[in-house]
Amino acid sequence: MNEPRRLTVVRGRVRCTEKESVPVDQCRLCVHSARVVVKGIELPSPARAYCSRCRDAPDIAMAKIEAVLCDDLSGEGFRSIANIIS
């Protein structure tokens, strides 16, 4: 199994794809955002907290995120969870 990519937050942005850097706030609604790192601790991402298994995830201030663990291994880029939960 492939490990998620660890995307470091730099000035409020993450390197989503080879060509695209996006605001970390966008990760809040991305299906590929698996986990986030705050103060060195990995937590379920806000996107995954919308699923029924993860509803106990804490509210996360996106401005405090140091890194995002992204399971987009194919380079698709941002894909909204709205397409899945609607």
Side-chain angles (χ1 to χ4, degrees):
M1 181 174 161
N2 293 326
E3 293 293 316
R5 297 180 304 141
R6 184 182 183 97
L7 308 177
T8 303
V9 177
V10 178
R11 292 188 292 256
R13 300 181 74 82
V14 293
R15 192 90 174 140
C16 185
T17 65
E18 287 282 327
K19 299 179 181 181
E20 185 177 29
S21 176
V22 300
V24 72
D25 287 338
Q26 201 165 331
C27 298
R28 177 180 291 280
L29 297 174
C30 182
V31 298
H32 298 299
S33 174
R35 299 183 68 74
V36 296
V37 179
V38 178
K39 295 184 180 179
I41 300 169
E42 288 186 17
L43 302 166
S45 77
R48 298 286 167 99
Y50 286 110
C51 77
S52 60
R53 293 186 310 216
C54 304
R55 289 186 189 219
D56 61 343
D59 185 31
I60 297 170
M62 297 302 282
K64 295 184 178 184
I65 293 176
E66 302 160 3
V68 176
L69 299 177
C70 176
D71 64 12
D72 177 17
L73 303 178
S74 67
E76 174 185 30
F78 175 79
R79 182 166 37 125
S80 174
I81 62 166
N83 299 330
I84 295 171
I85 61 173
S86 60

